[in-house]
Structures are given as C-alpha cells and as structure tokens.
C-alpha cells in the first residue's frame, strides 16, 4: 500500500537532519484552549487540547510525528475523525489496496499482507511521515476493531520530505469506502490535517502530487485553494501547492468551529 511515495524515491525521505529527531509530545501537552480543533487520546481520561492560533511552532516539534501521535485523535465537527494508522488497521487497509483502482489512483504497489504489516511498522516509526486513518462518524466502528467512534474510510498523510524546506509538507488523502465518498469526507480530512500541520508541526506550505488523469482529486485540491506549480512527465503528475496564510488559518479554524 504505502510504497506509493518511498517506492518511487521522489525527492527522498532522508536528509531532513537530526533537528527533526525530537519529540513534540511535550509541546502539545502543554498547549491550552481550542474551539476549532480537538486533539485527544484514545484514553478518554487523558484529554489534550491545542491552540490553533499558534503560528510559531518550532520545526523541531515536527520531528517524531508518528511516534508522538501514537494515541492522538483529531476530531472534526462534521463526519471525519482521524486516528493513527496502527497494526489493527492493517488487514482492512490491505483489503483496500488489493483493489486495482485504488492502487492506480494512489500510485501504490501491491503488497502481501506480511509486507503491509512491515510497511505500517516502518511508517509508524518514521519521524518524517504522519499518517492517520480517516474514520467516518456516520457509521459504527468496524467489527473486530476498537470503538474509535467511526468506521474506517481511508487515510490522510503528511510527508516531511523536503530537505531544503523543513516547513513544507506533501499532503494526500484517500477515501477507499464507496459509502463514504461524495459527502465531503476527503475535504474535511484534508482541512483537519492542514490545521494540525500548521498549528502543531509548523508547516507553512503544503503541496500535493496528483495523477494528471485523476480529475476528482485535482478538483478537490483546487477547491481548497491549491494551484498548479509543476508537471512531471515521468510520473504524469501535476504538483499543486498552497502557501499558509492568516486567511487560510482563519478559514480552517472557522470550518471546524461551525462558523462557516
């Protein structure tokens, strides 16, 4: 499944530097007050809040993104809830990636179940990748999985893979379940991930690499304000980018506080 970026070695994931190899867990534990983005642990007895108005998060805070968010839940105000990609999610995720249409749309290689488990572990331990499973709160949790408060619907990712700009991140989303499509779930998942990236990881620029023939995805990112910056003939992909601004942050906060 998640060979789609590393497997093609575009830009590489190494070379970020040891400045990212620090835990940001203490930072978000100490932040207080938030009415637009709710972060909490799976353990409801340990609530965690953040302040999305903060725009000066150090790049070192982004270091152990996957390690630091091991118990993190990002709860949207509409249908989306984001939870870390864990071992228990692998069988269903692997089932999704058995579908040729999803592999083509995400530029993924087909993996065995054992390889998928290995890939999940490597991603979980990689400080430069931030991966969440997208849950659809309109449906009950999947049988055999912890009660997350929603059914698995897809995933959303941030890749901190630009050695020349530690404040830039590649972002992508996949909604695999047909019942969860065409209802704004992908949009909300991206908005949550961007708000999280800005306020907690210090991201100042997002970019997305989308297959030239993937019209729905191209349209999705355009609606969010992404603009074309380059085209890769090798991968037949359009790269779109979005610079972080006060207006963007205000808009993301408003959407998650029910004000828009």
């Amino acid at each position: 499944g998640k060979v789609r970026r590393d497997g093609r070695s575009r830009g590489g994931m190494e070379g970020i530097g040891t400045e990212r190899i620090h835990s940001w867990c203490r930072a978000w534990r100490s932040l207080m007050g938030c009415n637009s983005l709710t972060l909490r642990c799976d353990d409801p007895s340990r609530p965690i809040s953040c302040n999305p108005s903060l725009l000066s998060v150090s790049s070192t805070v982004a270091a152990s993104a996957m390690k630091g968010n091991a118990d993190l839940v990002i709860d949207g105000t509409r249908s989306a809830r984001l939870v870390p990609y864990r071992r228990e999610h692998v069988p269903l995720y692997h089932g999704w990636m058995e579908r040729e249409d999803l592999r083509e749309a995400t530029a993924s290689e087909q993996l065995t179940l054992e390889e998928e488990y290995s890939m999940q572990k490597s991603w979980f331990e990689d400080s430069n990748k931030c991966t969440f499973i997208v849950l659809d709160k309109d449906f009950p949790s999947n049988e055999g999985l912890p009660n997350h408060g929603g059914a698995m619907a897809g995933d959303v990712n941030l890749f901190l893979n630009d050695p020349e700009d530690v404040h830039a991140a590649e972002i992508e989303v996949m909604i695999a379940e047909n019942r969860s499509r065409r209802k704004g779930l992908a949009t909300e998942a991206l908005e949550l991930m961007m708000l999280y990236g800005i306020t907690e990881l210090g991201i100042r620029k997002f970019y997305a690499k989308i297959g030239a023939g993937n019209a729905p995805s191209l349209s999705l990112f355009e609606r969010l304000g992404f603009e074309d910056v380059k085209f890769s003939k090798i991968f037949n992909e359009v790269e779109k980018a979005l610079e972080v601004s006060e207006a963007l942050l205000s808009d993301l906060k408003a959407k998650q506080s029910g004000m828009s």
Side-chain angles (χ1 to χ4, degrees), residues 39-260:
L39 309 181
R40 66 177 178 82
C41 286
D42 277 343
D43 179 352
S45 68
R46 295 190 293 145
I48 299 169
S49 295
C50 76
N51 185 346
S53 66
L54 296 178
L55 283 174
S56 58
V57 180
S58 168
S59 62
T60 61
V61 170
S64 299
M66 280 309 297
K67 296 176 184 177
N69 72 13
D71 295 311
L72 190 64
V73 173
I74 303 179
D75 205 6
T77 59
R78 303 190 295 275
S79 296
R81 175 172 291 149
L82 310 183
V83 299
Y85 180 42
R86 293 176 172 170
R87 183 176 176 84
E88 61 261 30
H89 301 131
V90 170
L92 180 52
Y93 188 94
H94 177 68
W96 289 341
M97 302 315 295
E98 289 289 281
R99 290 168 45 187
E100 185 176 355
D101 63 317
L102 289 181
R103 293 199 307 275
E104 181 177 352
T106 58
S108 299
E109 298 178 10
Q110 188 169 16
L111 302 180
T112 66
L113 181 58
E114 182 178 352
E115 289 171 334
E116 198 75 70
Y117 275 116
S118 177
M119 186 65 67
Q120 181 277 328
K121 184 176 184 294
S122 72
W123 277 53
F124 188 83
E125 295 174 350
D126 193 320
S127 60
N128 296 323
K129 300 182 181 72
C130 191
T131 297
F132 285 90
I133 291 294
V134 179
L135 302 180
D136 187 340
K137 294 189 289 186
D138 294 336
F139 299 100
S141 297
N142 302 86
E143 185 177 353
L145 290 179
N147 183 9
H148 291 312
M152 284 180 61
D155 70 341
V156 61
N157 311 291
L158 286 178
F159 303 96
L160 308 177
N161 59 2
D162 189 343
E164 297 182 356
D165 187 352
V166 297
H167 296 292
E170 181 178 355
I171 189 169
E172 66 174 23
V173 66
M174 174 186 75
I175 302 300
E177 295 289 344
N178 289 331
R179 67 181 181 177
S180 295
R181 292 179 173 176
R182 301 177 188 86
K183 56 186 289 184
L185 192 66
T187 298
E188 186 178 17
L190 287 170
E191 290 170 347
L192 288 169
M193 199 61 152
M194 287 193 292
L195 185 55
Y196 172 72
I198 295 168
T199 61
E200 297 300 306
L201 306 181
I203 302 302
R204 299 292 175 267
K205 177 183 178 181
F206 296 97
Y207 61 96
K209 297 177 179 179
I210 306 165
N214 191 343
S217 187
L218 291 169
S219 178
L220 168 64
F221 281 88
E222 287 167 4
R223 290 196 301 272
L224 289 169
F226 283 71
E227 297 181 347
D228 293 359
V229 291
K230 67 175 66 172
F231 176 76
S232 170
K233 292 183 179 180
I234 296 176
F235 299 111
N236 192 33
E237 285 183 337
V238 177
E239 181 173 327
K240 292 180 174 292
L242 178 64
E243 298 282 349
V244 174
S245 64
E246 289 284 357
L248 173 63
L249 180 62
S250 295
D251 183 57
L252 293 173
K253 290 165 60 177
K255 288 178 178 177
Q256 286 305 314
S257 60
M259 294 188 294
S260 66

